[in-house]
Amino acid sequence: MRITNKIIQNNNLSNINTNKIYQDTLSTQMSTQKKINRPSDDPVVAIRALRLRSSVTEVTQYYSKNIPDAESWLNVTEDALKNLSQIMTSMISQCTKGSSGELKTEDRQIILEQLKALADEVYSTGDADYAGRYVFTGYRTDTSLSFDKEQNLTYSITEQLDSSAISSVTKVNTDELLNINSKNYMDADKQVKEQDITSVDVYRIRLAYDSCLADGVLPQVQYYGAILDAAGAPTGQYELKTLGQQAGGTNAMKQMHSYEDPYTFVAQNDDALVYVPETGEILMGKNHYETLMATKDDDATKQNEGEIRVTYQKASWQKGDLRPEHYFACRSNPGTADEISYNSAYLTGNAERQDIEYDVGFNQTIRVNSTADECFQHGIGRETDDLVNAMQNVLDLEGVKTNLESLYSKAQEGSNEQTVLKDQLDAVEKALTYAKDKEQKLFEKGITSFQGYLDDTNLCITNCGTRSSKLSLVKNRMQNQKTTFETLKSENEDVDITEVAINLKSAELTYEAALMATGKVTQTSLLNFI
């Protein structure tokens, strides 16, 4: 085969172009510091790069965004719970002081103010938020735990209780003592005697709220009663029955206001069932008490036969009242076009806790929230109300006693005025004896009750701390994985600058040498040999 000069020129030009392409590739790698500029440069590197970049992006999302957000949420929650723990500890301290039988009026006044201040702070703490999201309200992060202002909004609420919610309450009947002053103490209706002062104990269910007046709707107390066969024997099945339900569908429950002395009425009637709307109490006689206390859960069935349901309505809300949708199955604006149902699954026994979870790793989540029913319970405020009312009653009676003693010292010896004042003082002494005894027992009970709330709070703090510790471990692992994936990504995509620089310099020298050699070769033609 004859090799012409043209063939030599074309081959030289092709080889020079190939060298120039290689030089361009190295120059591009030098400037971009990447091995490839397009997938076609190296499909294997491109595919591996896509996978590694996806992994790096995902790990970065976990490490740089999700985990810090979860940490912040847990920190806000833990701070609020620690504050609640301090409040509960202070309440226990106040209950310990209040349980003393040697309290002076000044001591009671201080304890009273402390309890009121602490009670106000409890639910304010529950309104803690993170980035505008309330941390104790489950999925309803846009809704505060408590009402921030007075509001008229009707709710139909169903509380799901058990027999432990039934307690005994002492009521001291002071007759007209608290209405006696220096101007009317001689009036006929104010001449109270020692025998007019009484104390009664009755059973009650204390609802989560007081002032439960809503269009005169009476609460409905339901319990699970056994279904009997024709012979009167249990069938092993249960149905919801209404407490106090009589033949014909009438209900024995009646409404009595606190000023009508419902406690004495119930104490004297074993079949009494009374609703006191101002205090949110359902008072019951012995027979109804025994009916509810007999409710027990049957292990052979799936439902909880020990449950006691109380359905009632409340329409007036004060600032600081807890929103019922965070605790109970309830309906707002019931029976209207604007009705909204909350937590209806609670009534079926299939309720799931509203856990807020963050994705913090590959197929790994962590719960960051604590719900209000775990720590900010209604019982805290209701227990405090009982303590405050009992202590205020003692303070009021002590005020009446001081006033009567002053009047007695000024009355003429042996006069009718002095006789009346003496009877009134005897009545006050008896009332004070009852009231102080009630106060002391309530404060002793309060120590146990608030210790229970403190235990619940400490459990929440422990759970929150456990989640924080777990999150720290996940964070460390994500940091290591982030470093590993970024290293693998760099090894796959990035070039060795030193190697590329040497290869580029070599390519430049080769290119220049090729140009010089080709220039000399192309100068020779066939004419040079003729």
Side-chain angles (χ1 to χ4, degrees):
M1 177 179 177
R2 181 173 176 269
I3 304 300
T4 65
N5 287 348
K6 189 63 175 177
I7 293 175
I8 294 173
Q9 289 177 7
N10 288 339
N11 287 339
N12 285 336
L13 289 175
S14 176
N15 292 332
I16 290 173
N17 189 57
T18 300
N19 184 271
K20 193 63 177 177
I21 292 173
Y22 178 58
Q23 185 180 351
D24 178 64
T25 300
L26 293 173
S27 178
T28 301
Q29 289 181 351
M30 190 71 177
S31 60
T32 63
Q33 298 186 12
K34 298 297 180 182
K35 292 180 180 178
I36 61 175
N37 192 38
R38 58 183 64 85
S40 59
D41 293 344
D42 190 333
V44 174
V45 172
I47 293 173
R48 189 182 296 119
L50 290 175
R51 292 175 178 172
L52 290 172
R53 285 187 180 187
S54 177
S55 297
V56 169
T57 300
E58 193 171 354
V59 171
T60 301
Q61 173 70 33
Y62 295 143
Y63 180 74
S64 301
K65 296 181 180 180
N66 291 20
I67 290 178
D69 201 20
E71 283 180 326
S72 298
W73 189 296
L74 286 170
N75 289 337
V76 170
T77 301
E78 187 171 4
D79 289 343
L81 290 173
K82 286 181 177 178
N83 188 36
L84 178 61
S85 177
Q86 293 176 357
I87 295 173
M88 291 298 100
T89 302
S90 297
M91 283 187 163
I92 293 173
S93 176
Q94 297 302 320
C95 286
T96 302
K97 294 177 183 178
S99 63
S100 171
E102 304 298 329
L103 290 176
K104 298 180 181 179
T105 300
E106 296 80 7
D107 300 328
R108 287 191 171 89
Q109 195 64 52
I110 293 173
I111 294 173
L112 192 66
E113 295 303 321
Q114 288 286 336
L115 285 175
K116 290 180 179 178
L118 290 170
D120 290 339
E121 184 62 23
V122 168
Y123 300 132
S124 297
T125 302
D127 279 324
D129 69 285
Y130 166 61
R133 296 177 293 172
Y134 295 98
V135 299
F136 292 106
T137 57
Y139 298 152
R140 303 182 187 91
T141 57
D142 60 339
T143 305
S144 60
L145 181 66
S146 60
F147 288 95
D148 57 0
K149 60 182 178 180
E150 293 185 10
Q151 192 168 343
N152 292 322
L153 178 61
T154 301
Y155 279 87
S156 176
I157 303 167
T158 299
E159 292 191 37
Q160 295 169 270
L161 310 171
D162 55 34
S163 57
S164 65
I166 305 174
S167 61
S168 176
V169 59
T170 300
K171 177 65 176 178
V172 180
N173 180 15
T174 57
D175 202 14
E176 288 292 321
L177 277 180
L178 296 178
N179 298 322
I180 295 176
N181 55 51
S182 57
K183 295 181 180 180
N184 65 9
Y185 67 95
M186 289 300 294
D187 293 351
D189 62 335
K190 299 296 187 292
Q191 296 184 20
V192 183
K193 296 184 179 181
E194 184 177 354
Q195 58 266 29
D196 297 326
I197 307 302
T198 58
S199 175
V200 296
D201 293 326
V202 296
Y203 299 110
R204 70 168 179 182
I205 293 178
R206 183 180 59 192
L207 303 179
Y209 303 99
D210 57 9
S211 302
C212 301
L213 286 169
D215 301 326
V217 178
L218 291 175
Q220 185 181 58
V221 182
Q222 294 180 301
Y223 64 97
Y224 282 95
I227 299 177
L228 306 179
D229 59 19
T235 63
Q237 297 180 323
Y238 298 83
E239 63 180 354
L240 276 175
K241 296 183 179 180
T242 301
L243 189 67
Q245 190 78 42
Q246 299 173 335
T250 59
N251 198 320
M253 182 177 289
K254 63 182 296 185
Q255 177 173 292
M256 292 183 68
H257 294 280
S258 54
Y259 54 80
E260 296 177 301
D261 194 13
Y263 302 92
T264 300
F265 172 79
V266 173
Q268 296 173 350
N269 186 348
D270 289 345
D271 292 316
L273 188 59
V274 173
Y275 174 49
V276 187
E278 293 86 358
T279 61
E281 292 176 304
I282 297 176
L283 309 179
M284 64 190 73
K286 180 181 177 181
N287 293 337
H288 293 305
Y289 167 75
E290 291 177 348
T291 297
L292 293 183
M293 292 302 290
T295 58
K296 304 292 182 183
D297 185 25
D298 189 344
D299 294 335
T301 65
K302 294 182 179 180
Q303 66 187 23
N304 179 16
E305 290 78 17
E307 181 180 275
I308 300 172
R309 295 183 180 180
V310 184
T311 303
Y312 59 96
Q313 290 192 2
K314 180 174 172 63
S316 178
W317 303 90
Q318 301 297 317
K319 181 180 179 181
D321 284 345
L322 296 174
R323 290 181 175 272
E325 59 262 40
H326 299 312
Y327 295 87
F328 309 114
C330 60
R331 294 175 292 128
S332 63
N333 298 309
T336 69
D338 298 326
E339 178 178 317
I340 301 175
S341 179
Y342 300 98
N343 309 321
S344 56
Y346 286 10
L347 301 178
T348 65
N350 297 322
E352 294 183 359
R353 187 174 298 280
Q354 296 182 354
D355 296 343
I356 296 178
E357 297 181 335
Y358 273 72
D359 288 327
V360 293
F362 296 101
N363 298 320
Q364 186 172 15
T365 62
I366 190 168
R367 180 187 173 191
V368 297
N369 73 321
S370 298
T371 53
D373 59 344
E374 295 178 288
C375 41
F376 295 94
Q377 302 171 39
H378 287 81
I380 298 174
R382 299 294 273 152
E383 290 281 353
T384 306
D385 289 342
D386 282 349
L387 297 176
V388 168
N389 292 335
M391 184 160 279
Q392 186 63 58
N393 191 34
V394 173
L395 288 172
D396 292 342
L397 288 171
E398 287 180 338
V400 172
K401 178 182 177 181
T402 300
N403 189 32
L404 290 177
E405 286 177 339
S406 176
L407 293 171
Y408 183 82
S409 65
K410 297 176 183 178
Q412 185 177 354
E413 186 71 29
S415 64
N416 180 57
E417 177 185 7
Q418 193 177 58
T419 301
V420 170
L421 288 169
K422 181 66 170 61
D423 289 339
Q424 291 172 336
L425 281 171
D426 290 342
V428 169
E429 285 292 349
K430 184 177 181 181
L432 272 173
T433 300
Y434 283 144
K436 288 181 178 179
D437 181 65
K438 174 185 176 180
E439 174 196 73
Q440 186 173 5
K441 289 180 179 178
L442 279 176
F443 274 86
E444 289 174 350
K445 179 185 174 184
I447 296 174
T448 303
S449 298
F450 286 118
Q451 183 61 54
Y453 297 130
L454 178 60
D455 292 342
D456 292 339
T457 303
N458 288 336
L459 178 60
C460 287
I461 293 174
T462 301
N463 291 336
C464 191
T466 301
R467 294 170 195 144
S468 295
S469 298
K470 180 181 178 182
L471 187 61
S472 295
L473 295 175
V474 174
K475 182 179 181 180
N476 292 335
R477 188 171 70 253
M478 285 297 105
Q479 184 179 24
N480 294 334
Q481 288 185 352
K482 184 173 182 290
T483 301
T484 300
F485 281 125
E486 286 178 343
T487 300
L488 292 173
K489 173 177 171 290
S490 176
E491 290 176 351
N492 180 66
E493 297 181 20
D494 298 343
V495 296
D496 186 337
I497 297 297
T498 304
E499 182 181 351
V500 172
I502 292 173
N503 290 337
L504 180 59
K505 190 63 176 177
S506 175
E508 289 175 352
L509 292 174
T510 303
Y511 176 68
E512 292 174 357
L515 287 177
M516 292 175 61
T518 301
K520 291 181 179 181
V521 170
T522 54
Q523 290 177 1
T524 305
S525 67
L526 185 61
L527 295 176
N528 295 113
F529 299 96
I530 296 176

